[in-house]
Amino acid sequence: MNETIRILLVDDHPMVREGLRARLSSVPQLAVVGEAGDAAEAMRLLDGLAVDVVLQDVGLKDGNGIDLAQAMLARWSGLCVLMFSMYDNPEYVQRALQAGARGYVLKDAPAGEIVAAIEAVVAGGTFLSPGVSRRLFRHQAPRPLLTPRESQILSALGRGESSKQIAKALDLSVRTVETHRQSIKRKLELDGQAELIKYAVEHAREIP
């Protein structure tokens, strides 16, 4: 990549920005053209700077970095936003990508990984830190969509409740609960009650 990539750093910790600038300054094709400590300053700088990539934190003192990414992209659609965070929470990652961010890199990533991420998004691709990618796909539920009632029952099974207890709590007949259990097993392709209970317990936190 021959052309210089112009980068805006957005993080509310000066030492983080300083460290990032130092890590990126050793790469000839990268140029940090601005730094912002909050969302408002970032938007002001973008008004007057030619920027290719915004490397920004998820959490900012004056707002949410994901909301900022959405606002930036609504105004500058050609901008590449790369999230830079200490959090690998799958919810943050999914929300950032839905907002239009091209990638998500962890703050403890080696310099080479950050550079690779920047180059990938500028080239039109996406980039996730390996640790982020593993956790994201591990938490993505590959199950078919359950009905709200089925989700309620699956959640209750994960808490160790019996069909009789679930029926009483949801004002249903035991037979209706059993019918829902059969439907859940069919949708999730689970063999037998033991597999159903095991699945419910293992995925308890993911069930809405």
Side-chain angles (χ1 to χ4, degrees):
M1 192 170 294
N2 296 321
E3 293 186 6
T4 299
I5 299 172
R6 296 157 299 192
I7 303 165
L8 172 65
L9 304 180
V10 183
D11 196 292
D12 52 15
H13 294 92
M15 290 184 65
V16 172
R17 298 198 306 270
E18 183 180 336
L20 262 178
R21 181 184 282 275
R23 295 165 82 179
L24 298 176
S25 64
S26 62
V27 184
Q29 72 268 29
L30 304 183
V32 176
V33 297
E35 296 180 22
D38 55 49
E41 186 179 8
M43 295 296 280
R44 284 197 302 270
L45 287 174
L46 283 172
D47 261 331
L49 289 173
V51 174
D52 300 306
V53 179
V54 176
L55 185 58
Q56 67 169 58
D57 196 359
V58 171
L60 298 170
K61 288 180 181 177
D62 67 337
N64 185 304
I66 295 172
D67 291 340
L68 173 60
Q70 200 163 20
M72 287 175 171
L73 292 167
R75 190 164 176 180
W76 298 282
S77 58
L79 196 63
C80 295
V81 176
L82 181 59
M83 307 306 292
F84 186 66
S85 175
M86 62 184 291
Y87 302 109
D88 64 351
N89 187 315
E91 182 184 349
Y92 290 165
V93 180
Q94 289 173 332
R95 286 178 56 206
L97 297 178
Q98 288 167 358
R102 298 275 190 89
Y104 198 105
V105 183
L106 296 178
K107 286 189 175 181
D108 60 359
E113 185 176 305
I114 300 171
V115 173
I118 292 169
E119 292 179 342
V121 299
V122 169
T126 58
F127 189 97
L128 296 177
S129 283
V132 168
S133 183
R134 283 193 298 271
R135 188 159 186 218
L136 177 64
F137 290 113
R138 188 167 66 243
H139 281 73
Q140 281 182 334
R143 59 179 179 268
L145 184 65
L146 301 179
T147 66
R149 181 66 82 193
E150 288 168 347
S151 291
Q152 279 183 307
I153 291 172
L154 187 60
S155 179
L157 290 172
R159 296 192 298 268
E161 296 179 22
S162 67
S163 290
K164 187 174 181 180
Q165 290 172 317
I166 296 170
K168 183 177 181 181
L170 299 179
D171 195 23
L172 301 171
S173 69
V174 174
R175 184 172 180 176
T176 298
V177 173
E178 290 294 336
T179 299
H180 282 304
R181 288 177 67 148
Q182 293 300 322
S183 176
I184 295 167
K185 284 195 299 179
R186 177 177 51 78
K187 288 184 177 182
L188 300 179
E189 299 180 349
L190 299 172
D191 294 325
Q193 297 301 323
E195 278 199 19
L196 174 61
I197 300 302
K198 182 174 183 290
Y199 183 95
V201 172
E202 290 178 348
H203 295 265
R205 293 185 180 179
E206 302 169 22
I207 302 168

